[in-house]
Every structure is written in structure tokens, then in C-alpha cells.
Amino acid sequence: MKTTLMAHNVMSDDPLPSNHINDNDAKTVIFASSMTPPLSDTSEILAALRTQGWILLRGQHYDVETFSQLMRQLCQTLTYDPARQNITSEAQKVDAGTHAIGLHIENGNTPMPPDIIAFFSELSAKKGSQTTICDGYAVYQALSPELKALFSQPMRISRYLPQAIWQNYVATATGRANADQISLDDLETFITATTSKTLMHYVEPQADGGVRYVLQIPAIRADNLSGQLAFANTLLGPSFNYEKPEFTLADGQSVDEAMVAELTQICEQHTQEVHWQNGDVVILDNKRIMHGRRQIEVPLAERKLYIAMGLGIKDSDD
């Protein structure tokens, strides 16, 4: 199969707003000739992730099954969000209401955020619902020296997790079938196994079986393939299925509205929008690229978007 790599404004045929990246900075898109099967060689995808952090596959005629197969080709281990509905053994339904969603990396408030995430649009909304894509490497470059120093130090993320949520998370992460059999001892064992020099976490058990979960991790991290530093975190993100976390920076200050507004302004200058077409697939380096969503302006039944996530990136020769 022949594919063509071409520079393209991936967002829409309409001009981008002035606060978005211009055409010269638009990302690479892999297009295929009509009725060709999806890519089986992932080398072009990996090359795009290494250089720009994300890629849009358009005109490849993906469906849910071939989208799932692609993620198996790219990732060593697939991961899941216990609060989402599974569509296949690899893909889950994206269902987070209709409101706009702030920029974030996927599962960035957990100790094991995925390395790669991908979205597949089976049915694209005709109005609104654009996915926002923000290059954390560009944001890092735009930060003042003071902000770079502050966010390079570990920040503290704290929130309450109901018992069923933390049990499902540990069961999924450790390959256990019976989530309701996961104990606090199992949770402590998992925490010990995943603690490192750059990641510390602990829990405070609550009377109802839930826990207060505390994670300490930097807001700036190296991406997966190029090793570049990126502002990639959940400071601006949502908490649709979970309690909103509390963020405390290394100097002891909480992340307040003024800081959120400043970071939002910087990030918006390096944000693009994906105007979805049916069959599109977007793949992101989750350690570099933050994503979000504009408000959905159609009934939810007129939009079907799926997500797949994975840890460990397979070499194209595997």
C-alpha cells in the first residue's frame, strides 16, 4: 500500500483563529488512496510521534476493530480507565458530557499514565466537539525561567477515590480478574512497586472504604521517543468521573485561578483543533501532548468517539 506524507492544515478548511498555530506549523497527516486498508507498518507513525508528538490518520477507512488492532501493533501493554465503558477488549467509549474540557494528559493523576493514547471517530459531530491538541514541548519553551523551575519540581495531587474505583484500578494495572477482592494490602503492594525517584504516592484509608490518594510528580516530564522536556500534566484538565484533585506546588502554594489563567493563555497559543471526519484516528505521545475538547453542540447520539491507551511503545521492527 502506498501512503503519502504531506503537510496539511488538519483542523478544517476554514482559517484557524489567530490564537492557533499557523499553516506552516501544521502537523503531518497520513493520507491513503481511496479504499486502501489501514496501515500495517507503524514506522511512519512512530517517526511522527518522535518529531512532533502526534499524528492524524485520515482516509484510512478504520473501524473499531482495525483501530484496536493498530493499538496492539503500537503498544506493548494496553491499559484502561476503570470508569469508562469498554467497546472492544482494547477500545473504550469517550463519554464526558457535552461541556468543553481543559487540556490534560490522559490519566495523568495516576501513577501509570499511558505512553500512547489514540482516538477513533466512528461518528463525528457536525458542530462543536473539536479535540484540542497542545504541544507540551512548545509550552515548556514558552514558560518563564521561574515557571520552568517551579514546575520541574514535584507537585502534590490529592483526591478522594471510592473503594470500587481504586479496586478496579489496581485490578486492571496488575491483571487481576476479581476487582472486589482487591484489598488495602494489595493497594499498598502496588504503591510500593510503582514508587520511584520521580514518583511518590500514598493513601489515607477512609471509613467508607475509599481512600484519600496523594501523588507527587513533576508537571514537566520527558516525552517517550525524543527525550525532550514537555509541560505535560493535568493542571488544566477535567475530573468528569472523579473528584476534582487538589494541586499543591513544591513551594507550598496551591494552584489558584490566576495561575490557571496564565497557563491557559500560554497553552492556547500552542493549541490546534481537530475537526473530526468519520474514520479519523489521532495518535498522541501522552508524555508530550496534552489534549482537550471544545463544547459539543449536537446531541450525544450524533457523536461516537473511542479511546485506546497503552504502555510501552513497540519498535516498528517488532
Side-chain angles (χ1 to χ4, degrees):
M1 180 190 70
K2 181 179 180 181
T3 60
T4 304
L5 286 171
M6 51 191 301
H8 184 73
N9 179 356
V10 303
M11 309 312 135
S12 71
D13 293 331
D14 299 325
L16 287 172
S18 58
N19 63 334
H20 284 209
I21 299 171
N22 61 39
D23 290 347
N24 292 330
D25 292 326
K27 303 304 178 185
T28 302
V29 189
I30 293 184
F31 287 91
S33 57
S34 178
M35 299 308 292
T36 54
L39 286 172
S40 57
D41 179 3
T42 59
S43 60
E44 291 174 307
I45 295 174
L46 294 175
L49 295 181
R50 182 174 292 107
T51 57
Q52 60 202 26
W54 74 284
I55 191 167
L56 166 66
L57 307 181
R58 176 163 287 170
Q60 300 280 329
H61 308 286
Y62 278 95
D63 57 24
V64 176
E65 291 300 328
T66 52
F67 168 65
S68 299
Q69 292 169 16
L70 175 64
M71 283 300 286
R72 287 198 298 269
Q73 288 179 265
L74 285 170
C75 300
Q76 297 176 13
T77 303
L78 296 180
T79 62
Y80 309 92
D81 187 327
R84 282 199 176 108
Q85 175 188 352
N86 280 60
I87 302 300
T88 68
S89 58
E90 297 82 11
Q92 296 183 292
K93 184 178 180 181
V94 176
D95 183 8
T98 60
H99 56 283
I101 291 177
L103 293 165
H104 61 287
I105 63 169
E106 198 67 26
N107 286 358
N109 295 328
T110 73
M112 297 173 60
D115 293 318
I116 296 293
I117 67 168
F119 295 100
F120 165 64
S121 182
E122 183 177 62
L123 178 63
S124 303
K126 297 186 181 302
K127 187 177 182 181
S129 188
Q130 303 94 330
T131 291
T132 49
I133 304 290
C134 179
D135 187 350
Y137 169 71
V139 174
Y140 173 74
Q141 297 297 318
L143 294 177
S144 67
E146 293 77 17
L147 286 178
K148 284 182 181 178
L150 180 61
F151 289 122
S152 294
Q153 301 176 66
M155 65 178 179
R156 183 178 182 268
I157 307 171
S158 173
R159 66 180 176 182
Y160 169 79
L161 296 177
Q163 183 175 9
I165 291 292
W166 67 255
Q167 285 180 318
N168 282 334
Y169 182 84
V170 174
T172 300
T174 58
R176 296 269 295 272
N178 298 318
D180 60 349
Q181 300 299 312
I182 299 294
S183 67
L184 276 171
D185 286 341
D186 294 322
L187 175 57
E188 292 288 356
T189 299
F190 171 75
I191 286 174
T192 299
T194 51
T195 296
S196 67
K197 291 181 179 180
T198 59
L199 187 153
M200 296 178 62
H201 52 149
Y202 62 90
V203 294
E204 299 170 351
Q206 306 294 299
D208 62 356
V211 297
R212 171 64 54 180
Y213 175 66
V214 179
L215 172 67
Q216 189 168 293
I217 193 169
I220 292 171
R221 64 186 74 212
D223 72 8
N224 286 298
L225 293 171
S226 71
Q228 297 182 112
L229 293 177
F231 182 83
N233 52 68
T234 61
L235 285 166
L236 306 180
S239 297
F240 184 74
N241 294 311
Y242 303 91
E243 178 184 277
K244 185 175 180 61
E246 299 174 0
F247 296 97
T248 305
L249 300 176
D251 63 358
Q253 69 173 310
S254 296
V255 178
D256 57 19
E257 292 183 3
M259 180 171 288
V260 168
E262 179 181 1
L263 293 173
T264 299
Q265 184 178 27
I266 295 172
C267 288
E268 191 69 16
Q269 294 172 2
H270 302 282
T271 296
Q272 291 182 293
E273 296 178 349
V274 175
H275 290 249
W276 290 100
Q277 296 182 16
N278 293 349
D280 281 355
V281 170
V282 166
I283 304 171
L284 311 176
D285 181 337
N286 195 49
K287 302 296 174 62
R288 171 174 171 175
I289 302 295
M290 295 182 290
H291 67 279
R293 188 190 67 207
R294 305 303 189 198
Q295 181 175 333
I296 298 175
E297 300 181 38
V298 298
L300 285 177
E302 298 179 16
R303 172 187 182 262
K304 293 182 180 178
L305 187 71
Y306 307 116
I307 186 173
M309 309 182 290
L311 287 167
I313 301 173
K314 289 184 179 180
D315 187 274
S316 57
D317 295 329
D318 288 350

